[in-house]
């Protein structure tokens, strides 16, 4: 089990200044939608961006977090 | 897939034999996960042939492909042997207009 807050905090800590939004999509604390808008993604491919996020969450992905939908954008892309 | 080969070489064989490969949960007829279904729906919408490998049928492959790509989730999509990501990335590439030309090129330049 994870929480929206825990996920938001973990990602926000790893990407200072980013806009992070998290939504529990099933109400069961294990399926989340994550949107991260960060300068850190500039120049990075989509795979690289997702790997950066997976690195923050480690073993939780596939464990406590059963499903994670990710949108990783730069500020320019999010407009 | 043969049982005697290592998981990695079985995965490599599939990648060599098929220009578009998706490791998914379930099958195109009976998808067992929303993200896996999403990937297969996008391929069908674009109209390219694709090979799916059901990781639910083979726990060794399910873990093996995650080690192979160092990526923790299923589905996993490969185009011409190169790992391109999971559902979110496939969807983003499709929305950007990049996926369709990539897939169409992959299926028309198959090496025999």
């Amino acid at each position: 089990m994870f929480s929206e807050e825990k996920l938001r905090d973990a990602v926000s800590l790893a990407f200072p200044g980013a806009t992070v939004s998290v939504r529990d999509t099933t109400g069961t604390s294990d399926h989340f939608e994550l949107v991260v808008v960060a300068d850190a993604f500039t120049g990075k491919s989509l795979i690289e961006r997702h790997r950066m996020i997976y690195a923050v969450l480690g073993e939780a992905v596939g464990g406590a977090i059963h499903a994670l939908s990710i949108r990783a954008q730069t500020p320019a892309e999010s407009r | 897939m043969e049982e005697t080969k290592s998981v990695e070489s079985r995965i490599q064989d599939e990648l060599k034999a098929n220009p578009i490969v998706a490791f998914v949960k379930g099958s195109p007829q009976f998808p067992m996960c929303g993200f896996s279904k999403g990937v297969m729906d996008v391929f069908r919408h674009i109209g390219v042939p694709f090979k799916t490998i059901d990781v639910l049928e083979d726990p060794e492959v399910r873990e093996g492909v995650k080690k192979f790509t160092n990526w923790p989730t299923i589905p996993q999509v490969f185009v011409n042997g190169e790992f391109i990501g999971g559902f979110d990335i496939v969807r983003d590439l499709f929305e950007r207009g990049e996926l369709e030309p990539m897939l169409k090129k992959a299926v028309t330049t198959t090496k025999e």
Side-chain angles (χ1 to χ4, degrees), chain B residues 82-97:
Chain B
E82 186 188 333
F83 175 55
I84 65 161
F87 171 67
D88 296 320
I89 293 177
V90 164
R91 181 205 57 207
D92 285 354
L93 291 173
F94 179 64
E95 286 173 358
R96 292 178 180 190

Side-chain angles (χ1 to χ4, degrees), chain B residues 42-43 46 84 90 93-94 97-104:
Chain B
V42 169
F43 294 159
I46 291 175
I84 65 161
V90 164
L93 291 173
F94 179 64
E98 291 174 28
L99 186 70
E100 183 161 352
M102 186 196 295
L103 297 187
K104 295 215 155 138

Side-chain angles (χ1 to χ4, degrees), chain A residues 31-78:
Chain A
H31 288 57
F32 297 98
E33 253 173 29
L34 172 65
V35 180
V36 188
V37 181
D39 285 316
F41 296 140
T42 305
K44 302 267 193 315
S45 71
L46 293 175
I47 285 197
E48 283 167 334
R49 299 178 192 189
H50 285 222
R51 287 195 188 283
M52 287 163 77
I53 292 169
Y54 285 143
V56 171
L57 301 172
E59 303 236 315
V61 178
I65 299 173
H66 178 77
L68 183 64
S69 168
I70 297 173
R71 218 183 251 280
Q73 298 176 311
T74 63
E77 288 163 358
S78 70

